[in-house]
mmCIF file of all heavy atoms in Angstrom:
data_model
loop_
_atom_site.group_PDB
_atom_site.id
_atom_site.type_symbol
_atom_site.label_atom_id
_atom_site.label_comp_id
_atom_site.label_asym_id
_atom_site.label_seq_id
_atom_site.Cartn_x
_atom_site.Cartn_y
_atom_site.Cartn_z
ATOM 1 N N ASP A 327 -50.849 -60.860 14.047
ATOM 2 C CA ASP A 327 -51.727 -59.701 13.878
ATOM 3 C C ASP A 327 -50.988 -58.399 14.149
ATOM 4 O O ASP A 327 -51.178 -57.400 13.447
ATOM 5 C CB ASP A 327 -52.944 -59.826 14.794
ATOM 6 C CG ASP A 327 -53.879 -60.945 14.334
ATOM 7 O OD1 ASP A 327 -53.658 -61.477 13.228
ATOM 8 O OD2 ASP A 327 -54.808 -61.291 15.098
ATOM 9 N N LEU A 328 -50.146 -58.414 15.168
ATOM 10 C CA LEU A 328 -49.389 -57.200 15.472
ATOM 11 C C LEU A 328 -48.391 -56.901 14.362
ATOM 12 O O LEU A 328 -48.154 -55.751 14.009
ATOM 13 C CB LEU A 328 -48.668 -57.339 16.824
ATOM 14 C CG LEU A 328 -49.572 -57.258 18.055
ATOM 15 C CD1 LEU A 328 -48.798 -57.623 19.317
ATOM 16 C CD2 LEU A 328 -50.152 -55.841 18.208
ATOM 17 N N GLU A 329 -47.826 -57.965 13.838
ATOM 18 C CA GLU A 329 -46.884 -57.796 12.732
ATOM 19 C C GLU A 329 -47.597 -57.144 11.544
ATOM 20 O O GLU A 329 -47.082 -56.228 10.912
ATOM 21 C CB GLU A 329 -46.297 -59.145 12.318
ATOM 22 C CG GLU A 329 -44.786 -59.108 12.232
ATOM 23 C CD GLU A 329 -44.141 -60.462 12.469
ATOM 24 O OE1 GLU A 329 -44.842 -61.487 12.353
ATOM 25 O OE2 GLU A 329 -42.934 -60.447 12.785
ATOM 26 N N ALA A 330 -48.794 -57.642 11.274
ATOM 27 C CA ALA A 330 -49.579 -57.108 10.171
ATOM 28 C C ALA A 330 -49.863 -55.624 10.384
ATOM 29 O O ALA A 330 -49.933 -54.851 9.422
ATOM 30 C CB ALA A 330 -50.882 -57.885 10.039
ATOM 31 N N LEU A 331 -49.970 -55.250 11.643
ATOM 32 C CA LEU A 331 -50.242 -53.834 11.945
ATOM 33 C C LEU A 331 -48.961 -53.016 12.033
ATOM 34 O O LEU A 331 -49.008 -51.822 12.303
ATOM 35 C CB LEU A 331 -50.999 -53.736 13.278
ATOM 36 C CG LEU A 331 -52.424 -54.313 13.300
ATOM 37 C CD1 LEU A 331 -52.942 -54.385 14.728
ATOM 38 C CD2 LEU A 331 -53.348 -53.458 12.435
ATOM 39 N N GLY A 332 -47.838 -53.676 11.834
ATOM 40 C CA GLY A 332 -46.563 -52.965 11.912
ATOM 41 C C GLY A 332 -46.210 -52.579 13.333
ATOM 42 O O GLY A 332 -45.489 -51.619 13.564
ATOM 43 N N LEU A 333 -46.713 -53.312 14.283
ATOM 44 C CA LEU A 333 -46.482 -52.935 15.678
ATOM 45 C C LEU A 333 -45.440 -53.823 16.377
ATOM 46 O O LEU A 333 -45.239 -53.678 17.573
ATOM 47 C CB LEU A 333 -47.809 -52.985 16.447
ATOM 48 C CG LEU A 333 -48.846 -51.941 16.003
ATOM 49 C CD1 LEU A 333 -50.152 -52.115 16.751
ATOM 50 C CD2 LEU A 333 -48.308 -50.520 16.196
ATOM 51 N N VAL A 334 -44.812 -54.720 15.615
ATOM 52 C CA VAL A 334 -43.747 -55.511 16.231
ATOM 53 C C VAL A 334 -42.425 -54.781 16.022
ATOM 54 O O VAL A 334 -41.977 -54.603 14.899
ATOM 55 C CB VAL A 334 -43.677 -56.929 15.640
ATOM 56 C CG1 VAL A 334 -42.499 -57.697 16.226
ATOM 57 C CG2 VAL A 334 -44.977 -57.678 15.924
ATOM 58 N N ASP A 335 -41.851 -54.326 17.115
ATOM 59 C CA ASP A 335 -40.626 -53.544 17.038
ATOM 60 C C ASP A 335 -39.441 -54.444 16.736
ATOM 61 O O ASP A 335 -38.639 -54.186 15.866
ATOM 62 C CB ASP A 335 -40.423 -52.810 18.359
ATOM 63 C CG ASP A 335 -39.417 -51.692 18.236
ATOM 64 O OD1 ASP A 335 -39.746 -50.675 17.593
ATOM 65 O OD2 ASP A 335 -38.295 -51.858 18.765
ATOM 66 N N LYS A 336 -39.322 -55.527 17.512
ATOM 67 C CA LYS A 336 -38.317 -56.548 17.228
ATOM 68 C C LYS A 336 -38.611 -57.807 18.041
ATOM 69 O O LYS A 336 -39.411 -57.776 18.988
ATOM 70 C CB LYS A 336 -36.897 -56.049 17.524
ATOM 71 C CG LYS A 336 -36.675 -55.680 18.974
ATOM 72 C CD LYS A 336 -35.213 -55.290 19.212
ATOM 73 C CE LYS A 336 -35.074 -54.657 20.594
ATOM 74 N NZ LYS A 336 -33.712 -54.271 20.928
ATOM 75 N N ILE A 337 -37.979 -58.888 17.630
ATOM 76 C CA ILE A 337 -38.107 -60.147 18.354
ATOM 77 C C ILE A 337 -36.692 -60.649 18.581
ATOM 78 O O ILE A 337 -35.922 -60.772 17.635
ATOM 79 C CB ILE A 337 -38.883 -61.205 17.549
ATOM 80 C CG1 ILE A 337 -40.280 -60.668 17.182
ATOM 81 C CG2 ILE A 337 -38.992 -62.506 18.332
ATOM 82 C CD1 ILE A 337 -41.049 -61.568 16.229
ATOM 83 N N GLU A 338 -36.360 -60.898 19.828
ATOM 84 C CA GLU A 338 -35.011 -61.432 20.074
ATOM 85 C C GLU A 338 -35.067 -62.697 20.916
ATOM 86 O O GLU A 338 -35.983 -62.883 21.713
ATOM 87 C CB GLU A 338 -34.100 -60.373 20.700
ATOM 88 C CG GLU A 338 -34.713 -59.643 21.863
ATOM 89 C CD GLU A 338 -33.894 -58.410 22.262
ATOM 90 O OE1 GLU A 338 -33.004 -58.002 21.479
ATOM 91 O OE2 GLU A 338 -34.133 -57.890 23.352
ATOM 92 N N PRO A 339 -34.073 -63.560 20.711
ATOM 93 C CA PRO A 339 -34.023 -64.775 21.520
ATOM 94 C C PRO A 339 -33.808 -64.414 22.982
ATOM 95 O O PRO A 339 -33.129 -63.417 23.277
ATOM 96 C CB PRO A 339 -32.812 -65.537 20.982
ATOM 97 C CG PRO A 339 -32.250 -64.738 19.877
ATOM 98 C CD PRO A 339 -32.924 -63.415 19.808
ATOM 99 N N HIS A 340 -34.342 -65.211 23.867
ATOM 100 C CA HIS A 340 -34.285 -64.849 25.274
ATOM 101 C C HIS A 340 -34.368 -66.109 26.133
ATOM 102 O O HIS A 340 -35.227 -66.959 25.915
ATOM 103 C CB HIS A 340 -35.465 -63.920 25.580
ATOM 104 C CG HIS A 340 -35.490 -63.413 26.987
ATOM 105 N ND1 HIS A 340 -34.580 -62.493 27.460
ATOM 106 C CD2 HIS A 340 -36.331 -63.679 28.015
ATOM 107 C CE1 HIS A 340 -34.851 -62.226 28.727
ATOM 108 N NE2 HIS A 340 -35.900 -62.941 29.090
ATOM 109 N N ALA A 341 -33.453 -66.213 27.068
ATOM 110 C CA ALA A 341 -33.503 -67.341 27.998
ATOM 111 C C ALA A 341 -34.403 -66.968 29.155
ATOM 112 O O ALA A 341 -34.271 -65.886 29.716
ATOM 113 C CB ALA A 341 -32.103 -67.659 28.502
ATOM 114 N N LEU A 342 -35.312 -67.841 29.496
ATOM 115 C CA LEU A 342 -36.220 -67.497 30.581
ATOM 116 C C LEU A 342 -36.534 -68.720 31.440
ATOM 117 O O LEU A 342 -36.213 -69.844 31.080
ATOM 118 C CB LEU A 342 -37.512 -66.892 30.023
ATOM 119 C CG LEU A 342 -38.509 -67.815 29.321
ATOM 120 C CD1 LEU A 342 -39.855 -67.151 29.250
ATOM 121 C CD2 LEU A 342 -38.019 -68.188 27.931
ATOM 122 N N LYS A 343 -37.137 -68.435 32.584
ATOM 123 C CA LYS A 343 -37.579 -69.513 33.474
ATOM 124 C C LYS A 343 -39.048 -69.775 33.175
ATOM 125 O O LYS A 343 -39.854 -68.858 33.252
ATOM 126 C CB LYS A 343 -37.454 -69.072 34.923
ATOM 127 C CG LYS A 343 -36.041 -68.766 35.363
ATOM 128 C CD LYS A 343 -35.381 -69.994 35.908
ATOM 129 C CE LYS A 343 -34.062 -69.652 36.569
ATOM 130 N NZ LYS A 343 -33.274 -70.848 36.831
ATOM 131 N N VAL A 344 -39.346 -70.990 32.862
ATOM 132 C CA VAL A 344 -40.738 -71.343 32.601
ATOM 133 C C VAL A 344 -41.272 -72.148 33.781
ATOM 134 O O VAL A 344 -40.684 -73.157 34.167
ATOM 135 C CB VAL A 344 -40.858 -72.160 31.304
ATOM 136 C CG1 VAL A 344 -42.303 -72.565 31.062
ATOM 137 C CG2 VAL A 344 -40.330 -71.358 30.127
ATOM 138 N N PRO A 345 -42.364 -71.690 34.385
ATOM 139 C CA PRO A 345 -42.930 -72.439 35.508
ATOM 140 C C PRO A 345 -43.692 -73.673 35.011
ATOM 141 O O PRO A 345 -44.552 -73.551 34.147
ATOM 142 C CB PRO A 345 -43.887 -71.431 36.158
ATOM 143 C CG PRO A 345 -44.274 -70.496 35.060
ATOM 144 C CD PRO A 345 -43.133 -70.483 34.080
#
Side-chain angles (χ1 to χ4, degrees):
Chain A
D327 290 351
L328 287 171
E329 230 153 19
L331 293 169
L333 294 176
V334 176
D335 196 71
K336 62 176 169 179
I337 303 172
E338 48 192 13
H340 183 71
L342 73 162
K343 297 270 190 193
V344 178

